[in-house]
Amino acid sequence: MSENYDLHCHSTASDGALSPTEVVQRAHEHGVTSLALTDHDTTTGLSEAQAAAAATGIQLIPGIELSTSWQNKCLHIVGLGINPEHPQLAEATRNLHLMRIERAEKMADKLEKKRIPGALEAVKKAAGDGMITRTHFADFLLSQNHVSTQQEAFDRYLGDGKPAYVSASWTDMIQGINWIAEAGGIAVLAHPSRYKLTASWMKRLLTAFKEAGGQGIEVITGRTNADEIRLMAGYATRFELAGSVGSDFHSPANQWVELGRLAPLPKGIKPVWELLS
Ligand code: AMP
Ligand code: MN
Ligand code: MN
Ligand code: MN
């Protein structure tokens, strides 16, 4: 059987709809042979995913998606092949868990001022022991009919500068790359086309990313088009970064993004999995 990598997805440990076991099983059903579970700022889903992968016969690459900040921008850095028990990373994720609870409290206060009560209880219940994210708020707003799509929830309430937006003190990008490296992982810039950076910002970013020890860039994601793939492959070549492939799957409800449904890496791009031992 040919190898099929999906190196970016989410479970109920953060804002995914499926449990780690369900994510692994669904990945297997969709032909994935190597899966990285990369929940937002947490590794708590990995042990369950590891057990499910062993039972299913697919390879599980332990991962994380760190929310980081660089030059006042929020950038996501995927760590692949990390040791989830590494003390520094483990302490960081515990702090991020608390930080996300405090941020959720502030967001709920802001919604209450907009005469939308009950958000905090709802998002805490939905997130359980996992990370509370804006996705949980979007689902709450949707369930209460304040909006009719997730996108509308971000456009009207949750997006940067909108009434319920609370800026968070995310991990400094350089720090995040260091944590990943110290935990034995490979740092990969997630979904680079989503930041809407100009070419000159992209160059500045990749220079800093590379200098800090970053080694990969997502060339293929669940929703990249041919132009974006060409552009990101160009950056990978120019900055000597390995190319990663990840759907960023969150939920079966999103029909546009599926586990393992990914374009191949363009020829000449070094696959990031060659760096994983
Ligand atoms: P947070 O890390 O709590 O700020 O939440 C960010 C998450 O919200 C992302 O990982 C996405 O899953 C989701 N998200 C961000 N923007 C949008 C959007 N416009 N539509 C739907 N989901 C979004
Ligand atoms: Mn998410
Ligand atoms: Mn992301
Ligand atoms: Mn993601």
Side-chain angles (χ1 to χ4, degrees), residues 8-10 38 40 65 76 191 194 248 250:
H8 184 155
C9 67
H10 298 273
T38 56
H40 296 291
E65 183 177 14
H76 288 181
H191 42 62
R194 210 177 301 166
D248 204 4
H250 282 73

Side-chain angles (χ1 to χ4, degrees), residues 232-261:
M232 296 313 150
Y235 285 121
T237 305
R238 179 160 169 198
F239 288 86
E240 297 180 319
L241 294 165
S244 191
V245 168
S247 63
D248 204 4
F249 173 86
H250 282 73
S251 164
N254 180 352
Q255 65 189 90
W256 308 108
V257 175
E258 184 53 82
L259 288 160
R261 200 166 71 201

Side-chain angles (χ1 to χ4, degrees), residues 221-234:
T221 80
R223 300 203 67 172
T224 34
N225 61 39
D227 287 342
E228 289 168 338
I229 293 172
R230 258 194 301 278
L231 193 60
M232 296 313 150

Side-chain angles (χ1 to χ4, degrees), residues 65-123:
E65 183 177 14
L66 282 177
S67 314
T68 76
S69 84
W70 177 78
Q71 303 279 322
N72 286 321
K73 303 173 202 309
C74 180
L75 305 172
H76 288 181
I77 307 291
V78 161
L80 297 176
I82 49 159
N83 167 14
E85 268 121 51
H86 190 271
Q88 239 180 332
L89 189 66
E91 192 197 337
T93 55
R94 279 195 298 276
N95 291 334
L96 288 164
H97 185 76
L98 297 176
M99 205 264 294
R100 280 183 174 275
I101 293 170
E102 284 165 21
R103 172 186 183 233
E105 288 165 358
K106 290 184 197 150
M107 289 178 66
D109 284 348
K110 287 193 159 194
L111 283 174
E112 202 144 344
K113 293 206 174 77
K114 289 273 155 196
R115 302 211 185 111
I116 302 179
L120 189 63
E121 294 68 31
V123 297

Side-chain angles (χ1 to χ4, degrees), residues 30-251:
H30 285 82
V32 174
T33 55
S34 289
L35 179 76
L37 179 64
T38 56
D39 275 305
H40 296 291
D41 300 312
T42 186
T43 59
T44 55
L46 294 175
S47 56
E48 182 187 320
Q50 197 71 260
T56 314
I58 78 175
Q59 185 194 20
L60 194 277
I61 294 160
I64 191 166
E65 183 177 14
L66 282 177
S67 314
T68 76
S69 84
W70 177 78
Q71 303 279 322
N72 286 321
K73 303 173 202 309
C74 180
L75 305 172
H76 288 181
I77 307 291
V78 161
L80 297 176
I82 49 159
N83 167 14
E85 268 121 51
H86 190 271
Q88 239 180 332
L89 189 66
E91 192 197 337
T93 55
R94 279 195 298 276
N95 291 334
L96 288 164
H97 185 76
L98 297 176
M99 205 264 294
R100 280 183 174 275
I101 293 170
E102 284 165 21
R103 172 186 183 233
E105 288 165 358
K106 290 184 197 150
M107 289 178 66
D109 284 348
K110 287 193 159 194
L111 283 174
E112 202 144 344
K113 293 206 174 77
K114 289 273 155 196
R115 302 211 185 111
I116 302 179
L120 189 63
E121 294 68 31
V123 297
K124 278 189 166 170
K125 186 158 180 259
D129 297 333
M131 289 293 193
I132 304 176
T133 70
R134 283 185 290 164
T135 308
H136 296 100
F137 279 92
D139 289 343
F140 164 76
L141 291 168
L142 202 53
S143 73
Q144 300 292 303
N145 299 315
H146 293 292
V147 292
S148 48
T149 62
Q150 251 195 11
Q151 184 59 48
E152 191 189 344
F154 281 88
D155 292 345
R156 284 183 52 200
Y157 295 102
L158 306 171
D160 193 345
K162 303 297 174 189
Y165 181 76
V166 174
S167 68
S169 45
W170 299 121
T171 309
D172 171 72
M173 180 180 79
I174 311 295
Q175 174 74 266
I177 294 170
N178 284 336
W179 283 338
I180 290 167
E182 278 157 23
I186 305 289
V188 174
L189 180 66
H191 42 62
S193 49
R194 210 177 301 166
Y195 311 121
K196 310 270 179 257
L197 299 179
T198 60
S200 71
W201 270 108
M202 199 64 193
K203 278 177 228 159
R204 250 180 277 180
L205 165 60
L206 292 176
T207 303
F209 176 76
K210 178 97 182 165
E211 250 175 44
Q215 292 180 271
I217 181 170
E218 282 180 356
V219 172
I220 308 292
T221 80
R223 300 203 67 172
T224 34
N225 61 39
D227 287 342
E228 289 168 338
I229 293 172
R230 258 194 301 278
L231 193 60
M232 296 313 150
Y235 285 121
T237 305
R238 179 160 169 198
F239 288 86
E240 297 180 319
L241 294 165
S244 191
V245 168
S247 63
D248 204 4
F249 173 86
H250 282 73
S251 164

